[in-house]
Each structure stands twice: as structure tokens, then as C-alpha cells.
Amino acid sequence: MIDHAPATPAPRRGIGFIFKGKDGLRAGWSLAIFLAIFSALMVVASVIIRPKPPGPGLPQPLLGSLVPEAAFCVAVLVSGLLLSLIERRRFASYGLRRERRGKDLLAGMGWGAAMLSLLIGLMALCGALVFDGVALGAGAALGYGAAWFGFFCLVGLFEEFLTRGFLQYTLARGVAGLIASVSPSARSARTIGFWVAAAVFSVGLFAAGHISNAGESAMGLLSVALAGLTFAYALYRTGSLWWAIGFHATWDWAQSFLYGVPDSGMMMEGHLLATHPTGAALLSGGATGPEGSVLIVPTLLLTILIIHRTLPRRATAFDA
């Protein structure tokens, strides 16, 4: 006769199981709390900030665009910081790492200006863009150039942290946790989680944020989605947002100020050069600008290759 040991009862799960898992606060709750805090801060910012007339000698964008964008940055960064305290994680985990931040930021800025210039050059060679001359004097150029540079640095920081910072990190760990719960032996759970989150935020949210832009086109939205994946790849290689922030900032700055072309359908006040598109919109981008030109596709594919060759793969939370 064989004695059978009594079966060990399964551990009881308390109510805390609903809110916490092996990786701390569950991703769904983290996302909900972040969005609630961020939405509240954005409402407060919209109430506090009122349009003000520009001061003597100051270009209109400095107060009309720079201040609100700074408030948006504060809102998204404070939301992420509060969640890092709630989750008891390092704030740097959400992509704003200290390692190589200066080098990555400057490298991204250099490549952003260079790749946008390459795209403009290709369009000019194809006869899709014509230069009409210089539109600003030296003094105005310095004022507008500085104001727009500061503005687009804030745009890069805000959009990158919003779409590829906390939200990207949190959804990625949530998907990875689901995969691990179904198949504990799955080695690539974190990698799969990263790219699922990238598809949702870098493609979906990032492109959706540009739909309302006046003059936006289907080709323009496609290029925005491809740009989102390009920035996500830089994040995947380094675990850091700094390269993408720098690239994003100078790409937009070169479009809006340096070359005076529409940026996702929006023409900014105060640009150094005057240009106009000619010919088929498929090449010129039409009202969308260079991001609506089919020539942006090889430009961004080359950018992905540059990321692969110039950004060494670093050990990150996304490694399989």
C-alpha cells in the first residue's frame, strides 16, 4: 500500500493580488494613474496660461508657443516623477537615463539637422522644392532662431517622453508580464513587450497626435508612424530617449525655422529661408511639407541604419 502525501493547498491570494504583481504595481493601474494625473495637470496648465502680448523686442513665438510647451513638459515630467515614487522605481527607468545623456543628445541633434538637410536636398534636386531667398534680417534671425530652437527642444522632450517614456516602459512590462504568466520559459517576453508597446504608442499615439494638424496628409501620417518606429529603435538600442529627443528637436527646427517649410502641415512664423513646393505632391509633400514627400521613406530608413551603426547596443530593461 502506497501512502500519498496530502496535496499542498495553493497559496491564497489576497486582494493585494489585484493591484500588485511580481513587478510591483500592475501596469494597468500604473497607466490609469499616470493618465489621470497628466490629464489633471494639463487642465490646470490650460487654465493658468493665458495668451500674453509679446514684450519689446521679443518674437511672438517666445510667449505664444514657448511658455505653453514648457508647461506641457512640466505636466508630463511631474506625472512620470509621481509614478516613479508610487512604483518605487528610478525615474531614469522611463528613458531619461543619466548615462551618456549629453553625448546622445548632441549626437541626435547633429543627425536630426543632417538628415532633414539631406531630405531637403533630395527634394531640391528632384525639382520638388524651390528656394526663394532669405526672409529675415540678421537681428530677427537670431531672435526667431533662438526662440524656435528652445521651443522645439521642449517639443522633442514632451513628445518623446509622452509616447516613448513612461507609457512605453509600463505597457512593455505589462505585456511581458502577461507573456511570462502564460509561458514562464519565454525568453523574449521583454523584447515582445517592448515592440508591442512601440506599435501602440510610437505608431498609434504618435501618428494620432498629428491627425488634427492643418494640411496633414496620408503620406504625412505614414511618415510620422515610421519616424516613431525610428525613435523607438534608438530607445531599444540604448534604453535612453536622449538621442531621439535631440534628433526630434533639430529635425523640426530645421524644417520650421532654417528652411521655412511646413512641419506636418504647419507653417511657423519667422523662418530664415523662404521656399515653396512645386510639382506632384508625392515628391514635394504639398501643404504637408517634407514629411509628406515619399522621399522621407529612404531618409528614415537610412536613419535607422545610422542608429544601428553609431549607437552601440547597451544592456537595457528590454533585453530578452
Side-chain angles (χ1 to χ4, degrees), residues 93-95 160-170 235 241:
S93 300
Y94 308 138
E160 291 306 310
F161 189 79
L162 178 63
T163 56
R164 281 169 284 278
F166 175 85
L167 296 178
Q168 163 76 35
Y169 176 91
T170 304
L235 173 63
L241 293 170

Side-chain angles (χ1 to χ4, degrees), residues 109-176:
M109 285 182 170
W111 282 115
M115 298 311 290
L116 192 280
S117 297
L118 173 63
L119 176 57
I120 292 292
L122 290 174
M123 293 172 64
L125 287 174
C126 293
L129 186 70
V130 175
F131 288 89
D132 301 317
V134 178
L136 294 175
L142 288 174
Y144 275 107
W148 281 127
F149 182 75
F151 172 76
F152 284 116
C153 284
L154 292 172
V155 169
L157 176 59
F158 173 71
E159 293 191 2
E160 291 306 310
F161 189 79
L162 178 63
T163 56
R164 281 169 284 278
F166 175 85
L167 296 178
Q168 163 76 35
Y169 176 91
T170 304
L171 182 58
R173 74 174 177 87
V175 172

Side-chain angles (χ1 to χ4, degrees), residues 294-308:
V294 70
L295 294 173
I296 194 174
V297 175
T299 303
L300 290 177
L301 292 178
L302 178 58
T303 301
I304 292 174
L305 178 61
I306 289 170
I307 290 170
H308 185 77

Side-chain angles (χ1 to χ4, degrees), residues 63-224:
L63 291 177
S65 299
L66 191 60
V67 173
E69 197 66 33
F72 299 158
C73 280
V74 170
V76 75
L77 292 174
V78 168
S79 300
L81 179 60
L82 291 176
L83 263 295
S84 73
L85 298 175
I86 293 171
E87 294 185 334
R88 297 182 180 179
R89 298 181 198 279
R90 291 192 311 136
F91 179 68
S93 300
Y94 308 138
L96 297 181
R97 296 172 179 264
R98 295 180 180 178
E99 299 84 1
R100 292 178 55 90
R101 60 184 173 186
K103 292 181 179 179
D104 283 352
L105 181 65
L106 291 176
M109 285 182 170
W111 282 115
M115 298 311 290
L116 192 280
S117 297
L118 173 63
L119 176 57
I120 292 292
L122 290 174
M123 293 172 64
L125 287 174
C126 293
L129 186 70
V130 175
F131 288 89
D132 301 317
V134 178
L136 294 175
L142 288 174
Y144 275 107
W148 281 127
F149 182 75
F151 172 76
F152 284 116
C153 284
L154 292 172
V155 169
L157 176 59
F158 173 71
E159 293 191 2
E160 291 306 310
F161 189 79
L162 178 63
T163 56
R164 281 169 284 278
F166 175 85
L167 296 178
Q168 163 76 35
Y169 176 91
T170 304
L171 182 58
R173 74 174 177 87
V175 172
L178 286 175
I179 294 173
S181 67
V182 174
S183 177
S185 60
R187 287 185 169 185
S188 57
R190 284 177 288 181
T191 299
I192 294 172
F194 176 90
W195 288 111
V196 167
V200 172
F201 295 121
S202 293
V203 176
L205 181 61
F206 194 48
H210 292 74
I211 290 177
S212 61
N213 291 350
E216 189 59 274
S217 64
M219 185 64 218
L221 292 175
L222 177 63
S223 71
V224 169

